[in-house]
Amino acid sequence: MKEILYRGRTKYQEVEIVVFEEYGLSLILDGLVQSTEADEAIYHEALVHPAMVTHGSPGSVLIIGGGEGYTLREVLRYRSVRRAVMVDIDGELVELAKKYLGRIHRNSFNDPRASVVIMDGLEYVEKTKEIFDVVIVDLTDPYGPEIGRKLYTEDFYRKLYSLTSDKGVVVTQAGCSFYYPEYYQGIFKNMERVYRYVRGYSIWVPSFGYAVSYVIASKNRDPGSMSGDEVDKILREEGVEGLKIYSGSLHESLMKAPAILPSFSTSP
Ligand code: SAM
């Protein structure tokens, strides 16, 4: 660790904003690395773009969590997006992100299409009257701090289902399916009880030291049925350029990998 820019406690969590020798500017919450400058694009592009292209031309997007603003940055790349609402429980953390992480979120918070709501994601989902095309759930891990845990339940996904449009898509980060298979499988099954199409995919994030898994669910289009060409066409039409890892061919390969990665097992 080269430099500690901030270390303190908000009402909800322990926050450290540091610069690592190799990974650069990084956010740590309750001792767990959330994102680093060197590889956050892997995590955030893999989180956001499969859901956005599965919808095809999302006009309104809800982000739950995502305090750093990087998920918001990815969503705002799309020409079709008219409104992006980011709901994070921790207002102090969002202020710290604005202050210290600007060169990575590229001032997404100031985009006129973006609004930030400081509220528990579950409470917001219960209260809002708005309908969204895509919902992106970017929370602390399902086996992490208590504040995020109730946002991985079947009940929560039912609530999301009713606030998404006919072509609605939802995606959540689901932690590490290798070390915590029961959490990952629980999320997958909870979504399967609610949505017609559900897929899981994973990608290696070096600073996490594991492959992070995601679960994506859609009302009317199977994300795994899309060809690479179809995905690339949508990215072109939407004016999405300069991505570091995501493309049509990555989309295809993510969706083809086994949904549940092998986990520890001592049986033959
Ligand atoms: N990339 C991350 C990882 O490695 O797990 C997750 C991104 S992000 C920093 C997690 C965010 O979820 C934090 O900003 C935290 O404040 C927010 N959060 C946790 N519980 C929440 C809740 N119940 N409602 C809204 N936001 C929540």
Side-chain angles (χ1 to χ4, degrees), residues 8-50:
R9 232 207 111 71
T10 67
K11 186 176 165 201
Y12 297 100
Q13 48 211 340
E14 202 70 48
V15 180
E16 293 167 279
I17 298 175
V18 305
V19 182
F20 286 122
E21 191 78 47
E22 284 155 329
Y23 287 101
L25 188 55
S26 306
L27 173 70
I28 304 171
L29 295 179
D30 289 334
L32 294 169
V33 172
Q34 301 293 304
S35 56
T36 80
E37 190 174 2
D39 63 1
E40 62 78 21
I42 301 177
Y43 172 90
H44 291 99
E45 289 185 15
L47 171 70
V48 170
H49 299 293

Side-chain angles (χ1 to χ4, degrees), residues 12-13 27 29 32-35 43-44 47 64-68 71 86-91 93-94 119-122 138-141 145-152 173 175 208 210 212:
Y12 297 100
Q13 48 211 340
L27 173 70
L29 295 179
L32 294 169
V33 172
Q34 301 293 304
S35 56
Y43 172 90
H44 291 99
L47 171 70
I64 300 182
E68 304 107 319
T71 298
M86 176 185 135
V87 182
D88 198 289
I89 199 168
D90 195 342
L93 174 67
V94 172
M119 194 188 276
D120 175 18
L122 179 58
D138 184 18
L139 293 165
T140 38
D141 293 328
E146 205 49 51
I147 48 168
R149 288 188 178 213
K150 54 189 184 305
L151 288 80
Y152 291 98
Q173 81 102 349
F208 291 178
Y210 58 76
V212 66

